[in-house]
């Protein structure tokens, strides 16, 4: 079991996590990522370095945990009135956020400090939850719609591949093309 999954929510543990995460974000902005060290983060957070090592293992796992938290969507997908419009708007925003230098850095951090795959699963769950909201709306409008896994496979997966390995030329036209290719087969 990973260190991150053994932590109990609330109480001191939640306060420690919040202060350490805030310290990482502040220090990244002030001194840059390359200057970060566990002792520096610990001092800023008001905890001992051993607290960080015990909870996260090393700096990379800490950065990974912070990245996963930063990749969590803050709001539900916007309701644009149809499956296609909802998916297009969501995919455009997803692509814009994830392909930006900051988004790409968070993706890399989330994956680099993830020895057991927990963070990758959590990031995937965030996308699936957002897509599920869109598909529930479509069902409420009695629209034909794919399942969550199909949207992840045909829209999210190609975008993530391009973001990570071939980011050149990514734009809203690309995300729209993926959505139209998927939704078009359900419009009939």
């Amino acid at each position: 079991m990973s260190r991150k999954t053994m932590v109990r929510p609330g109480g001191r543990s939640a306060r420690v996590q919040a202060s350490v995460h805030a310290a990482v974000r502040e220090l990244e902005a002030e001194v840059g990522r390359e200057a970060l060290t566990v002792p520096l983060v610990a001092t800023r957070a008001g905890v001992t370095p051993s607290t960080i090592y015990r909870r996260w293992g090393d700096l990379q796992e800490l950065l990974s945990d912070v990245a996963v938290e930063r990749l969590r969507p803050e709001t539900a997908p916007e309701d644009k009135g149809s499956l296609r419009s909802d998916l297009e708007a969501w995919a455009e925003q997803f692509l814009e956020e994830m392909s930006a230098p900051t988004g790409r850095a968070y993706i890399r951090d989330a994956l680099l400090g993830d020895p057991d795959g927990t963070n990758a699963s959590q990031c995937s769950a965030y996308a699936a939850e957002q897509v599920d909201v869109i598909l529930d709306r479509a069902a409420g409008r009695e629209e034909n719609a794919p399942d969550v896994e199909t949207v992840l496979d045909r829209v999210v997966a190609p975008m993530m591949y391009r973001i990570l390995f071939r980011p050149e030329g990514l734009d809203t036209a690309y995300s729209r093309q993926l959505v139209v290719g998927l939704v078009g087969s359900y419009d009939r």
Side-chain angles (χ1 to χ4, degrees):
M1 180 177 268
S2 96
R3 290 174 185 85
K4 292 172 275 216
T5 57
M6 294 188 306
V7 176
R8 291 175 298 171
R12 181 179 186 280
S13 179
R15 287 190 302 275
V16 167
Q17 178 177 342
S19 66
V20 170
H21 279 214
V24 167
R25 290 189 304 272
E26 291 166 7
L27 288 166
E28 275 184 316
E30 292 171 20
V31 300
R33 180 189 160 86
E34 299 75 29
L36 289 181
T37 64
V38 169
L40 185 63
V41 171
T43 299
R44 174 64 63 94
V47 299
T48 64
S50 64
T51 297
I52 293 175
Y53 290 121
R54 215 177 15 259
R55 170 105 185 242
W56 286 279
D58 61 24
L59 182 62
Q60 188 59 57
E61 285 190 48
L62 170 59
L63 293 174
S64 183
D65 193 44
V66 170
V68 169
E69 192 60 34
R70 297 297 297 266
L71 290 169
R72 177 192 309 266
E74 294 177 4
T75 60
E78 193 173 350
D79 187 345
K80 297 285 196 172
S82 72
L83 173 63
R84 179 177 169 173
S85 296
D86 288 358
L87 274 177
E88 281 180 348
W90 179 82
E92 287 174 20
Q93 181 180 356
F94 181 87
L95 183 62
E96 180 181 318
E97 290 174 3
M98 296 300 145
S99 65
T102 304
R104 291 184 55 175
Y106 288 145
I107 292 167
R108 282 192 302 272
D109 281 347
L111 298 177
L112 284 173
D114 189 24
D116 63 3
T118 302
N119 290 344
S121 294
Q122 186 58 57
C123 291
S124 177
Y126 293 157
E129 289 166 8
Q130 294 273 295
V131 168
D132 198 40
V133 168
I134 292 168
L135 298 180
D136 282 348
R137 286 185 195 142
R141 293 185 293 254
E142 298 183 7
E143 294 177 89
N144 290 328
D147 61 25
V148 172
E149 291 302 315
T150 300
V151 176
L152 293 176
D153 288 345
R154 302 225 0 233
V155 176
V156 178
M159 285 194 297
M160 288 302 294
Y161 177 84
R162 290 287 308 272
I163 289 166
L164 290 170
F165 301 112
R166 298 186 63 215
E168 311 80 32
L170 284 178
D171 58 16
T172 57
Y174 177 71
S175 62
R176 276 192 220 118
Q177 170 192 345
L178 293 172
V179 170
V180 168
L182 170 65
V183 175
S185 62
Y186 289 87
D187 284 341
R188 298 177 188 129

